[in-house]
Amino acid sequence: MNIIDISSDLLRAEVYPGDPEPRVHAIQRLDNDDEFDVTALYACLHSGTHVDAPSHVFSQMEDPDFYKTVTDLPLEKFIGPVTVVDIPPGPLTGREIERYFPRFSDRIILRCHGDFEFFAGAADDVAALGYQLIGFEGLAHGGKNEAAFHRALLGAGTVLLEGLDLSALNRGGDYFLFAPPVKLDGLEAAPARAILIEDHIIWRK
């Protein structure tokens, strides 16, 4: 079984402008004659490889029909066949959506070869395709209106897997994804360890 880790290192990954830098604090250390190594972590939930839930952009009071936290999301969204899609750098418009985005996949991961962003309306075009999950190399690129981009996809039931490191992939195409979020009850996001399985596997009862 060929397993490919596509997670980024939480402490070294790109940080969204304005978010706090992840840091660790040594509570106990064997080098200090403590009995254990014990470390505390402080990080934004949107740093490194992570999952965005609808409650990232929808409030429980104003948008009860769309409001879901990370623990409300079905785990099957994060486990199953996935297609890695190579997209060109630059703006993604309806034309690029029509050309590059598969119609018969439940999950896709976007592998870019340079900077890209969704132009106005393109996120709505993608949302209409009904994906369970979209993964992004690095952070998601919503363009000038990140909130509208997130609302279009998360409102359509598509969860976002951001902060992926696809440098170990030799190709696009079909894989098997395993990337469930950490269980953090009631929160809008959670870290995830994302892996792809390249060769064929058979699940047995």
Side-chain angles (χ1 to χ4, degrees), residues 18 39 45 52 79 131 142 203:
T39 305
L45 293 179
D52 279 351
I79 303 169
Y131 296 122
W203 293 95

Side-chain angles (χ1 to χ4, degrees), residues 50-66:
H50 67 277
V51 167
D52 279 351
S55 59
H56 184 34
V57 288
F58 293 107
S59 74
Q60 188 172 21
M61 182 175 296
E62 296 178 0
D63 306 290
D65 292 337
F66 296 104

Side-chain angles (χ1 to χ4, degrees), residues 35-180:
E35 291 188 281
F36 306 96
D37 260 5
V38 178
T39 305
L41 169 68
Y42 174 78
C44 176
L45 293 179
H46 302 271
S47 293
T49 301
H50 67 277
V51 167
D52 279 351
S55 59
H56 184 34
V57 288
F58 293 107
S59 74
Q60 188 172 21
M61 182 175 296
E62 296 178 0
D63 306 290
D65 292 337
F66 296 104
Y67 181 85
K68 284 187 174 69
T69 69
V70 73
T71 44
D72 295 324
L73 300 173
L75 287 177
E76 53 263 29
K77 285 183 178 286
F78 308 97
I79 303 169
V82 66
T83 303
V84 176
V85 180
D86 288 297
I87 58 173
L92 285 179
T93 65
R95 177 179 298 177
E96 283 74 35
I97 304 306
E98 181 68 27
R99 178 177 179 182
Y100 294 105
F101 283 59
R103 299 302 188 270
F104 302 104
S105 297
D106 285 334
R107 303 167 194 84
I108 63 169
I109 291 174
L110 301 180
R111 184 167 71 158
C112 54
H113 300 277
D115 290 335
F116 77 96
E117 65 179 56
F118 284 80
F119 265 29
D124 293 317
D125 293 338
V126 176
L129 296 177
Y131 296 122
Q132 291 192 54
L133 174 145
I134 298 180
F136 295 88
E137 185 174 23
L139 300 177
H141 301 267
K144 294 181 180 179
N145 196 333
E146 290 282 353
F149 161 78
H150 280 76
R151 288 174 70 89
L153 294 175
L154 292 169
T158 302
V159 296
L160 307 183
L161 178 63
E162 298 188 35
L164 298 174
D165 178 0
L166 304 181
S167 59
L169 289 188
N170 296 320
R171 62 171 181 84
D174 295 329
Y175 295 86
F176 193 93
L177 173 70
F178 187 86

